[in-house]
Structure formats: structure tokens, C-alpha cells
Amino acid sequence: MSESTATKSRQPICHGIQETRQLLLEGHSTVTGHVDDVLGAIRGTDPELGAYVEVAEARALREAAAADRLLARLGPAAFRGRPLLGVTVSVKDLIQTDELPTRRGSLLPNHRTAADAPSVARLRAAGAIVVGKTTTSEYGWSASTVGRLGSATRNPWALDRTAGGSSGGSAASVAAGLCTASLGTDGAGSVRIPAAFCGVVGFKPSYGRIPYVPACAERLSHVGPLARSVADVAELMAVLAGPDHRDPDSGAAPPGPTAPPVPAAALAPLRVGWIEFPGTSGPVRDVTEGVLPVLTALGHRVDRIEVPFPDPYGALVDILAAADAHGTAPEDEPWCDEGRLSVVRYGRSLSGAAVARAEATRLALRTRLASVMETYDLLVMATVPIEAFAADAIAPPWAADPADLRWLSWAPAAYPFNLTGQPALSLPVGLTPAGLPVGLQLVGRVGDDGLVLSAAGLLETALGLTLTPPGSTTEGRRP
């Protein structure tokens, strides 16, 4: 494993949301001091990491000063209606923001209105301070952060490895302690894959739970938070969830609590389907298998089951390619990512009947998994069956040629749940012998976001792990 960002000794500056609140209330920290420390860490670390494409230094410091004045005037009352006051967050470069440019990882111009997306506006209204925009592949097309705007985002655990993607900048920024939390998007695993590779928690809620604006016609893309603990993700969800008229699907999201409905310790024993996907590597299997007896000790009934559905990868490719072709004009090609162009050109070859067949496959998958979830409360599996690959690659070698259209096929546990819209969370559960993080994915029924968060929180407590890259500016314990 290559030298990590841990080569420098740093004092922890990023804490969990509740601890940040406590430090501010007790006078052990100020928002301005915290934000200034985070900005300094970004300046010192990000040139080699590549997590950020834009940093909002001036605005972040202005908002921090305003937060300090509010705390001085109101004390604990400052947090009423502002549960994230003083919390530093980053935002993926696919999500619109009002002042910071949103380039969507592309050289192509972005003609969308420069206004905060609902998710960003809700974070700001809750008191969070956006410190910057994070790296993504062009339009989020690949599960890496290789693109034409700059160098690829590198993994804080090993700089020669990928952070994953397409929310790789978000995951790396959280793991390296360059913010407390981040806002990503997930169209085929793009929150959960980098969360697994970087050793943080990444949550894709039920489809429509957080509004996605502008809405996506492929109906695969979810907005989701990344943080260092399940508790922080639950706090973020309490702020982010809820309908917005600009995303019609958000109004159709199933009702139900978004934070844990019961204390994790009081969660009833669950029926768990344990799945191992083909291609799971030995090092990843060894880590995840170590979690199985922990689930059993918590009282859950765990059944080993075969993958209970056929691989829907072909349908995923057709739906994504058709959407990418629709959104890319031939005259735009000179400015496009060459890999994405392979997908676009394939999409232009698809007939309406082919896209209809892909949608029929999606419907069959939803029906099949709804039936499976009558037997099981949760499905559990490795989030990604392999370790993080090379930083400058879009995929492991066997899937790295976009012309083969296999560029996402190496993450077979991720994309099915975009097609079904089920809530899915990646929880860090250990390190391989190479020192690389492994994530375990918990998947619930559509609408059971609270159950997934509760179960993940209970498992996180039982494991007692907080994976922290050596030398990062966050606190935690290594296994």
C-alpha cells in the first residue's frame, strides 16, 4: 500500500455532529475557529488528495462569524431550528449551488440556474456551513472520480488507490477530516461505493425521500449523505428528507420516519438475508464474514441465501445510456469525457423497444425484491466485492474499457437497489490485510429507511469501530 495522507501528524479538528454542538456550547470551540481549521486542512491536504474542485472560503468564514454571533446572543437556543449550526459540509459537484459554480465534472457549460438545490438549501437553513464542492466524474457517469477537470480523487487510506465514485470527492473529504459530512448523489452506487472504499457511512435513502432537483428522467438518481457515523447520517436525514414540488417523485416517496424510529438498543430481532455476490475477493470476504456472528449475537436470525434475482446490469446500462444520449448533443462531443462518449454513442443506437425492455426488467426486479422482502427485514452483503483499484482507473482492469460497456459491472451489489429504489446503507466494518476499508451494505424495504438506520446504528455500536486514515483530522479507532 502506498504512503497515505497519514504521513503528517495532525490534531483532530472534525468531530461528530453532537460533539461539535457540545464543544460550541461549552465554549471549547468557536464556529469561526473550526471553519478556519477545516479550510487550513483543505489547503494543506487537498492538493494531493483532490477531493475538492471549489472551496467557499470567504462565504464559509462569513457564515461562521454570523453563527458565532448567534451563539453569543442566544446560547443553546441558537440550535432551535438549526440542528446543524456550525457543522461543516461539502457538496458534490453534481448538486446545484447558488454562489459556487456547479460544473458537473465537465468541460461542457452548465446552463442550469445558479441556485441552491433543495437539499443544499435545507442544510444551510439548519445552520450547516458549506465549505466547498467535491470532485465527481463527468455527470457522475462512472464509479470513479477520473475526469477532465483535474486529477482523480485519491483514497485517503492509500494515495495510489481510487476513492471510488462518482461521489468520490465527498467520501474522501469526510474520511480525511476535510469536513464533518458531505452531500452526494447515487445513480448506480455512487454514494455507497466510495463510502465503502474510504471507510465512511454512506446512505442512499428510499427513492424520492430527498428531492433531486433538477429531476432525472432515468429515475435512478438519489441524493444521499455521507458521514463518519450512522448517528450523523440520521441527523442529516432529519433535515434533508421531505417533498419539493420541483421533484414530483419526492411527493410520492413512501411515508415513514427517516431517523431511527426506536433506540437502536431496543430494536427487535430482525430476519436477515446474508448474500455473497459472485466475484467477492478473499480479503473482502474475510472482513465481512467476521460481522456475521456479531449480527447473530445481536439476536437477529441470519440466513445465507443465494442472490435472489438475476443480474439486471444490461437493463441498467440501457437506461443510463439512453438518458446520457438524450442529454448530449453531437456538437458537444469534443468537450466530453471519452469514456462517457462510448456510453452516449451506445445510447443513440438503442431503440424505443430496447428501452421498454429495460424498463420491464426494472419492474420485474422491483416485483421480485418486494417478494423477497416479505421474508426478510434486511438484506446484508459486502457493499463492493473488491478492494479499491488504481486511482487513475475508472474500474478494475477487466472492466476498464468503456467500449465494453462493463464499466459499472464490478459493483453488482450496488446498482440493483437504484433500480428498485430501496434504502441501502454502507457501513465500514474493517480493513483488509492491505489496510483498505471494507463496507457492509444493509438494504431494507422501500420506505423502511428508519429501520435500516436503526439496524446499522446497533451494528456500528456492537463493532465499536470508527475507521480513521492515519493522520486524518478526525477522531476514531482503528481495528
Side-chain angles (χ1 to χ4, degrees):
M1 186 172 74
S2 76
E3 185 181 31
S4 96
T5 52
T7 54
K8 302 171 186 175
S9 177
R10 305 186 185 106
Q11 292 298 314
I13 60 172
C14 282
H15 306 274
I17 292 172
Q18 291 186 9
E19 187 175 357
T20 297
R21 188 181 303 135
Q22 198 64 31
L23 289 169
L24 292 172
L25 284 173
E26 292 175 355
H28 299 305
S29 176
T30 66
V31 180
T32 299
H34 172 57
V35 169
D36 193 51
D37 285 345
V38 168
L39 294 170
I42 293 171
R43 287 192 296 270
T45 301
D46 203 53
E48 64 179 356
L49 194 63
Y52 284 89
V53 291
E54 294 285 343
V55 179
E57 184 161 346
R59 179 169 179 176
L61 288 170
R62 287 198 308 271
E63 292 180 352
D68 282 331
R69 290 193 295 270
L70 194 67
L71 281 163
R73 188 172 76 252
L74 298 178
F79 289 95
R80 293 176 188 161
R82 306 176 194 88
L84 304 180
L85 186 66
V87 172
T88 51
V89 298
S90 62
V91 176
K92 185 179 181 179
D93 191 35
L94 290 188
I95 302 174
Q96 293 293 118
T97 46
D98 58 0
E99 289 187 10
L100 286 173
T102 303
R103 292 182 286 181
R104 306 181 68 212
S106 179
L107 297 175
L108 292 164
N110 178 11
H111 299 296
R112 295 173 174 180
T113 303
D116 283 342
S119 52
V120 178
R122 289 171 184 179
L123 289 176
R124 292 195 200 275
I129 295 176
V130 175
V131 294
K133 301 295 286 289
T134 56
T135 309
T136 177
S137 54
E138 183 172 276
Y139 295 5
W141 82 278
S142 72
S144 73
T145 49
V146 177
R148 300 180 69 184
L149 288 185
S151 60
T153 302
R154 297 179 179 273
N155 195 312
W157 289 86
L159 295 178
D160 63 342
R161 302 298 184 104
T162 182
S166 60
S167 303
S170 288
S173 68
V174 173
L178 306 184
C179 58
T180 296
S182 191
L183 197 60
T185 65
D186 190 317
S190 289
V191 162
R192 292 159 288 147
I193 291 168
F197 280 172
C198 292
V200 299
V201 180
F203 184 48
K204 181 192 77 66
S206 293
Y207 183 70
R209 179 74 76 185
I210 302 172
Y212 198 116
V213 176
C216 295
E218 23 83 346
R219 304 185 79 186
L220 294 166
S221 297
H222 304 57
V223 175
L226 300 95
R228 291 184 53 75
S229 71
V230 176
D232 281 1
V233 164
E235 287 217 43
L236 292 162
M237 283 302 300
V239 167
L240 293 165
D244 185 284
H245 70 276
R246 292 166 289 181
D247 177 3
D249 286 325
S250 70
T258 58
V262 295
L267 190 68
L270 302 175
R271 300 166 298 166
V272 176
W274 181 276
I275 301 172
E276 181 178 301
F277 278 78
T280 300
S281 72
V284 169
R285 178 184 300 112
D286 289 345
V287 174
T288 56
E289 286 284 331
V291 181
L292 199 154
V294 180
L295 286 169
T296 303
L298 290 170
H300 304 317
R301 190 196 82 190
V302 182
D303 296 337
R304 291 182 183 269
I305 62 173
E306 297 296 320
V307 179
F309 50 85
D311 187 353
Y313 185 68
L316 175 86
V317 169
D318 286 359
I319 293 169
L320 285 174
D324 255 337
H326 167 71
T328 306
E331 56 267 27
D332 291 336
E333 290 193 9
W335 292 274
C336 289
D337 181 289
E338 283 296 325
R340 193 176 72 85
L341 270 183
S342 297
V343 180
V344 168
R345 289 166 181 158
Y346 171 70
R348 290 176 184 152
S349 75
L350 290 168
S351 67
V355 177
R357 283 193 295 272
E359 289 293 350
T361 298
R362 187 204 310 239
L363 180 59
L365 180 67
R366 290 174 60 194
T367 303
R368 171 61 182 150
L369 273 163
S371 174
V372 171
M373 301 310 290
E374 290 183 359
T375 302
Y376 295 106
D377 301 302
L378 292 176
L379 301 178
V380 176
M381 66 217 74
T383 308
V384 187
I386 59 173
E387 295 171 277
F389 45 84
D392 293 318
I394 65 164
W398 60 269
D401 183 354
D404 293 340
L405 300 176
R406 301 171 73 186
W407 82 104
L408 297 173
S409 61
W410 51 272
Y415 53 77
F417 306 110
N418 292 86
L419 289 161
T420 63
Q422 291 170 256
L425 181 144
S426 181
L427 179 73
V429 293
L431 302 176
T432 67
L436 296 170
V438 173
L440 190 75
Q441 181 171 233
L442 288 74
V443 180
R445 303 180 189 91
V446 172
D448 266 357
D449 300 50
L451 179 67
V452 171
L453 288 166
S454 290
L458 180 59
L459 179 57
E460 180 183 56
T461 299
L463 291 171
L465 295 178
T466 303
L467 299 188
T468 303
S472 74
T473 58
T474 58
E475 290 187 316
R477 295 186 299 278
R478 299 185 71 188

